[in-house]
């Protein structure tokens, strides 16, 4: 596994642990409505865990996220992490177990690494541009029902 992908997996799992703890206390979450959907207080903890993990390993990289980012700290970076600490916020807030942590790395504007982690099922999906995809659940399915071998 590529070193940047290993770090992304570590970051996704850290955020997933925070999500799993929060899911046990959904009735105690503070939720506010916003133009694009919902926002809850725990989002900054998940985002912080991801950002901390990524920037500890790669301090010269930038971060692109929905609300408040560390991109401004290194706006000219060639390597930009694109993160969604809880992809499926509405499902999460309604108790539907279909949500995930999504992390990608764009190098010089081209996405080269990707991680999607489902903390409910402990399913991890990874991909590296030009290399085999992997999953804790087995092979990926592509359009037309084919099995995908490379990204």
């Amino acid at each position: 596994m590529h070193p940047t992908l290993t770090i992304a997996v570590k970051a996704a799992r850290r955020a997933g642990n925070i999500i799993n703890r929060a899911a046990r206390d959904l009735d105690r979450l503070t939720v506010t409505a916003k133009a694009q959907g919902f926002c809850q207080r725990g989002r900054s903890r998940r985002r912080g865990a991801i950002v901390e993990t990524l920037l500890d390993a790669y301090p010269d990289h930038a971060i692109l996220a929905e609300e408040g980012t560390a991109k401004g700290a290194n706006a000219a970076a060639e390597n930009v992490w694109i993160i969604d600490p809880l992809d499926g916020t509405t499902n999460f807030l309604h108790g539907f177990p279909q949500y995930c942590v999504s992390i990608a790395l764009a190098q010089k504007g081209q996405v080269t690494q990707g991680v999607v982690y489902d903390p409910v099922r402990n399913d991890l999906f990874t991909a590296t541009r030009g290399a085999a995809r992997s999953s804790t659940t087995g092979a990926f399915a592509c359009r037309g029902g084919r099995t995908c071998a490379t990204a």
Side-chain angles (χ1 to χ4, degrees), residues 22-94:
R24 288 182 240 145
D25 298 321
L26 277 177
D27 57 329
R28 292 194 274 170
L29 283 178
T30 303
V31 179
T32 56
K34 64 176 189 170
Q36 299 293 322
F38 297 102
C39 181
Q40 83 282 4
R41 207 175 57 199
R43 184 174 210 106
S44 63
R45 288 185 52 224
R46 290 185 299 275
R47 184 177 56 244
I50 294 171
V51 170
E52 178 183 306
T53 302
L54 298 175
L55 292 183
D56 279 354
Y58 301 103
D60 60 327
H61 290 194
I63 304 291
L64 177 61
E66 289 177 352
E67 299 135 2
T69 70
K71 186 169 173 63
N74 194 3
E78 289 185 354
N79 298 297
V80 179
W81 291 99
I82 304 160
I83 64 172
D84 190 342
L86 180 56
D87 194 355
T89 302
T90 301
N91 284 347
F92 174 78
L93 293 174
H94 287 95

Side-chain angles (χ1 to χ4, degrees), residues 2 110 146:
H2 195 277
Q110 185 171 37
R146 298 173 294 141

Side-chain angles (χ1 to χ4, degrees), residues 107-149:
Q107 297 176 300
K108 296 181 181 179
Q110 185 171 37
V111 175
T112 58
Q113 310 288 335
V115 173
V116 175
Y117 177 57
D118 177 348
V120 174
R121 293 167 193 80
N122 196 29
D123 286 342
L124 178 70
F125 304 90
T126 62
T128 298
R129 185 173 201 80
R133 297 175 180 113
S134 81
S135 162
T136 54
T137 59
F140 280 83
C142 289
R143 290 183 212 148
R146 298 173 294 141
T147 299
C148 295

Side-chain angles (χ1 to χ4, degrees), residues 93-105:
L93 293 174
H94 287 95
F96 301 130
Q98 285 81 35
Y99 45 84
C100 63
V101 178
S102 300
I103 302 174
L105 174 62

